[in-house]
Amino acid sequence: MKLLTGNDLPTGDVVWWTGGGWSRHVEDAADVGDGGESIAHAEEGARRVNGPYVIDATATPNGPRPAHIKDRIRALGPTVRPDLTLKPADPGAGSWVI
């Protein structure tokens, strides 16, 4: 099976083509078959999604499962831990900006 994914323009969230629109849940994704590239082109041209691309997936009882680990991680949603985010430069540490 083939899935179409990209990023929502207003939010940057990972989205999945459902056959009639976009969802933030991979479980809602529809098989685009050979038509994925033309859907991607139309949706990007309409400025509904940024950087759409077609991926391989497998149908499971719980919905589609992306074949590549990178896409499975994207499907899980945001993975940034607040405690690991970059902190502003500490002026006391001698950091400076040109």
Side-chain angles (χ1 to χ4, degrees):
M1 98 183 287
K2 301 281 187 186
L3 302 180
L4 179 59
T5 185
N7 293 90
D8 181 58
L9 276 173
T11 65
D13 291 346
V14 173
V15 290
W16 304 88
W17 180 250
T18 65
W22 295 93
S23 172
R24 288 177 173 78
H25 307 284
V26 70
E27 297 83 11
D28 299 333
D31 185 2
V32 294
D34 294 332
E37 293 297 329
S38 62
I39 296 168
H41 182 69
E43 289 295 302
E44 187 170 37
R47 304 200 46 82
R48 286 186 280 269
V49 68
N50 184 40
Y53 61 99
V54 178
I55 64 166
D56 291 318
T58 304
T60 74
N62 297 324
R65 181 177 191 261
H68 192 278
I69 187 67
K70 174 190 81 141
D71 297 310
R72 288 197 300 269
I73 291 169
R74 287 183 81 241
L76 291 175
T79 58
V80 177
R81 289 179 29 192
D83 59 322
L84 295 179
T85 58
L86 294 176
K87 309 228 179 339
D90 179 2
S95 299
W96 53 282
V97 178
I98 297 175

